[in-house]
Amino acid sequence: PGLWLTFITLFGTALAAASSSVLNNVVDRRIDAVMARTAGRPLPSGAVSAVGAAVYGVLLGAASFVLMALYVNILAASLALFTVFFYVGIYTIWLKRTTPMCTSIGGIAGALPPVIGWAAVANNVALAPLLLFGILYLWQPPHFWALAIVRKEEYREAGIPMLPVVKGDRVTKRQMLLY
């Protein structure tokens, strides 16, 4: 791909990731305040208002979509927007609070960037980006479960049903090896 398409795709994908992160922080601000690892973030520390952050997060997501729709293609723009929706709506708001499978299912959003990149160039989805998606998807749960084992008590205190909290370290480590 040309330099311009590469830049716009990377920038648009970065805007979508930033949107997801900001909106995740808005939704999780009370949980983050309980956990030592996240208590210093701008929202739980009071450095940034929840309303201001929410507006900023939505604007980042909208900018990602508009930029990519105008200068890349609608498929790549829609996939980037889907990652924001999936990460915030499905993972953060729903799964993270209800099931230890949150990390497994939530990994879908984090594994989509290669698919977005492929769609930007080819304006379709094919086997090659799906294989890259699979590699990233399978890497994410063990990565986050390792963190969750170390921070298990913080997750327990925050009421997040991470796998090590619900099933213990042994089951979590077995799942990590399976992945």
Side-chain angles (χ1 to χ4, degrees):
L3 186 58
W4 176 249
L5 179 63
T6 301
F7 173 77
I8 291 296
T9 302
L10 289 172
F11 187 62
T13 303
L15 288 172
S19 173
S20 297
S21 180
V22 170
L23 294 172
N24 173 75
N25 279 260
V26 170
V27 173
D28 280 354
R29 66 190 181 277
R30 289 179 186 86
I31 292 169
D32 288 347
V34 175
M35 299 179 68
R37 180 178 69 85
T38 55
R41 287 181 176 169
L43 284 162
S45 71
V48 174
S49 76
V51 171
V55 168
Y56 182 57
V58 169
L59 288 175
L60 287 167
S64 167
F65 181 79
V66 169
L67 184 72
M68 291 182 74
L70 290 175
Y71 297 106
V72 180
N73 61 54
I74 199 71
L75 177 59
S78 298
L79 286 167
L81 187 61
F82 175 76
T83 64
V84 176
F85 165 76
F86 194 91
Y87 187 76
V88 178
I90 305 299
Y91 168 72
T92 302
I93 293 173
W94 178 35
L95 297 172
K96 190 177 194 178
R97 288 154 169 76
T98 60
T99 177
M101 295 306 295
C102 61
T103 306
S104 294
I105 301 166
I108 291 170
L112 280 169
V115 181
I116 296 168
W118 181 281
V121 175
N123 202 17
N124 65 37
V125 175
L127 182 60
L130 294 177
L131 291 172
L132 292 172
F133 168 89
I135 291 167
L136 284 176
Y137 174 77
L138 291 173
W139 169 80
Q140 286 181 92
H143 168 78
F144 287 105
W145 286 329
L147 174 66
I149 287 172
V150 172
R151 301 290 189 159
K152 178 173 44 184
E153 294 311 314
E154 289 182 38
Y155 283 105
R156 186 183 321 278
E157 188 176 326
I160 302 298
M162 290 294 281
L163 192 60
V165 172
V166 175
K167 299 290 185 178
D169 291 359
R170 183 181 170 127
V171 169
T172 304
K173 289 175 183 177
R174 189 173 339 122
Q175 287 295 313
M176 290 167 72
L177 285 172
L178 289 172
Y179 271 80

